[in-house]
Amino acid sequence: MTVQNDVTAEGVILTEVAAAKVSSLLAQEGRDDLRLRIAVQPGGCSGLRYQLYFDERQIDGDIVSTFDGVEVVTDKMSGPYLAGATIDFVDTIEKQGFTIDNPNATGSCACGDSFH
């Protein structure tokens, strides 16, 4: 097993569709130093909220995985909450955006933006 597979098993998973969307968004930004960062922050009606954004920083202890050329970064505090979570991108008539399927979430709120 390679180091990359070990890291991926501990971190988040980015689907091919989501990786393509992130690549497209990064191309629009015109920067090659950005990576997708996913974090867990206190807040929301269920206690924790996801944060998904582009970041150029590299923080000590970051978990880094690469999917189709897209780097996904998770800080060491958020890592345990996000281990095995899958990030996807949906584009339907009802909904457009990134989704997170997190096996560690024990429940979520009605707004869908937070979990516990």
Side-chain angles (χ1 to χ4, degrees), residues 7-8 18 26 30 32 38 46 53 58 69 73-74 89 91 95 107-108:
V7 171
T8 301
L26 286 172
D32 61 0
I38 180 168
S46 287
Y53 58 97
Q58 189 163 345
V73 182
T74 306
F89 185 81
D91 189 3
K95 183 178 182 179
S108 63

Side-chain angles (χ1 to χ4, degrees), residues 14-97:
L14 191 67
T15 67
E16 288 182 32
V17 173
K21 183 62 177 179
V22 171
S23 291
S24 171
L25 293 171
L26 286 172
Q28 289 176 8
E29 289 291 323
R31 293 178 57 185
D32 61 0
D33 63 332
L34 296 175
R35 45 190 80 72
L36 181 66
R37 182 173 291 276
I38 180 168
V40 173
Q41 300 286 320
C45 49
S46 287
L48 297 171
R49 164 171 273 156
Y50 298 112
Q51 208 173 31
L52 202 62
Y53 58 97
F54 293 129
D55 194 4
E56 71 276 350
R57 298 173 301 153
Q58 189 163 345
I59 302 169
D60 189 38
D62 274 350
I63 301 166
V64 181
S65 301
T66 303
F67 303 91
D68 294 331
V70 174
E71 282 189 353
V72 178
V73 182
T74 306
D75 65 87
K76 64 182 174 183
M77 298 298 283
S78 298
Y81 294 104
L82 296 168
T86 301
I87 302 171
D88 196 7
F89 185 81
V90 294
D91 189 3
T92 65
I93 199 162
E94 296 97 15
K95 183 178 182 179
Q96 181 183 37

